Amino acid sequence: MKTMLVTGGAGFIGSNFIRYVLEKTGFPGRVVNLDKLTYAGNPENLEDIRRKYKSRYAFVKGDICDFRLLNGLFKKYSPETVVHFAAESHVDRSIFGPKDFIETNIHGTFALLETARSFWLSRIPDPRSSISYRFHHVSTDEVYGSLGKTGKFKETTPYDPRSPYSASKASSDHIARAYHHTYGLPVTISNCSNNYGPYHFPEKLIPLAILNALEGKPLPVYGDGLQVRDWLYVGDHCAAIWRILRKGRAGETYNVGGNCEKTNISVVKEICRALERLAPSAANPALKGRSYEDLITFVKDRAGHDRRYAIDFGKIKRGLGWSPSVTFARGLAETVRWYLGNAAWVGNVKTGAYRSWLKKNYD
Ligand code: NAD
Ligand code: TYD
C-alpha cells in the first residue's frame, strides 16, 4: 500500500489536509500522521477519521527532530510521499520565545530531509521500479518580508524574513531547496498566505476574534489595524497542495494565495457582522447589551509587525490549473458556523481540557 507521511497532522492545516486526502481525493493508500502534540496539536481534530479509516490512518506521537524515530518510521512504513506541515507557527510566540522555532522549523526540517535522502536516494535504485518519491515542504509568504502599498510576492521575490518565525521558515525553505539542487531529492515547496477555517487554534486572529466575541471579551487589534493579509480558505490550500503533489515538478516552488487582501480591522468587523447574523449579540447574555463591534479594542502593536502581504499565484494557476474557489464571505460564514456548531471542541481547547485528554491517551 502506498504511504504518505504527514508531519504536523494534528494541527490546523495538517488535520484539514489529512481529512481532505482521505475523504475527497480517492487516494487509495495509507496516511501516517507524525505529530509531537505541542500546545497546537490536537488529535481530537481527526478522531472521526481515525475511527473511519482504521487500516489506512495511523497516528504516531513524536518529534520531527528525532532521527531515531524518523529512521524507524521510514523502515516500518516506507513512505513514498512526505508532506511536511510540522512547525511552530505563531509569530507572537516566536517573538517571546524563538528557541522552539529554531529547533522544530530548522533542525526538524533538516532531520526529515536527511532521513528521506538516506532512504530514497542512498539505496541502490531498482531500474524497474516505478516508485516516484516526493517531499513537499509547506511554507509561508512571510519569508518574503513586508510589502509597501503595491506589488505582490512572486516565487522570484528575494527572501527578507523579519520575525523569528519567518526567519526559521526561510531557513527551512533554503535547506529543502538545497537538498533538491545538491542531492536531487524530489522536493517541492509551497509558500502560502494566511489560512482560516475549521480547527484553527484560537491564538490566531480569526478564531480568537470569533471566540472572544462570543464570550463578550475584547477583540484585540494590533496598532492601527491597517496591516493587510491575503486570506486563504484552508480547503483551497489543501486542494493546492494536492495539485502540487499530483502535477507539480520536483525542484519547483509555488506561491498559493487567496486573492483576498484585507486590513485586519476590516476582517474583525466582518467577523462581527457574520456573528450578528448567525448568533445575534442581542440574544447573547455575555454581551450585556453591547454589539460585537463594541468589543473591538486597539492594543499595542506587535514588535516588527509586517505591514502588508499579498500573493501572486499566477504560476500555480497557469502551470497546474489551481486558483482559490472560496470567497471570504462564504469561507468566513462557514468558519463561524463551524465554531458555533462545535462547542465541545471549542470548550476542550479553551479550557485546556484537550491537554489532559492527550496526556491520558498519548503519553
Ligand atoms: P499549527 O500550529 O496549527 O500546527 C502545527 C502542528 O505541528 C501541531 O500539531 C504541532 O503539534 C506539530 N508540531 C510542532 N512541533 C513539532 C515537532 N517538533 N515534531 C512534530 N510535530 C510538531 O500550524 P498550522 O497553522 O497548521 O501550520 C502548518 C504549516 O503551514 C506550518 O509549517 C506553517 O509554517 C505553515 N503555514 C501556516 C499558515 C497559516 O496561516 N496557519 C500560513 C502559511 C504557512
Ligand atoms: P495572525 O493570525 O497571528 O497571523 P500572522 O501573524 O501569521 O499573519 O495575525 C494576523 C494579523 O492579525 C497580523 O497582522 C497580526 C494581527 N492580529 C491582531 O491584530 N490581533 C490579534 O489578537 C492577533 C492574534 C493578530
Side-chain angles (χ1 to χ4, degrees), residues 327-345:
T327 62
F328 191 68
R330 192 180 125 210
L332 188 64
E334 272 176 28
T335 305
V336 170
R337 262 190 227 106
W338 188 86
Y339 282 92
L340 290 170
N342 285 274
W345 184 95

Side-chain angles (χ1 to χ4, degrees), residues 265-312:
I265 185 66
S266 69
V267 166
V268 174
K269 286 187 174 169
E270 283 191 55
I271 291 169
C272 292
R273 286 196 290 273
L275 281 168
E276 292 293 359
R277 278 195 310 277
L278 297 166
S281 54
N284 181 340
L287 270 289
K288 300 193 177 98
R290 294 163 301 173
S291 73
Y292 291 120
E293 270 200 37
D294 291 340
L295 303 174
I296 292 175
T297 309
F298 288 91
V299 299
K300 188 168 174 281
D301 208 352
R302 171 187 282 173
H305 199 169
D306 287 340
R307 195 69 179 166
R308 176 171 165 259
Y309 303 145
I311 287 259
D312 176 342

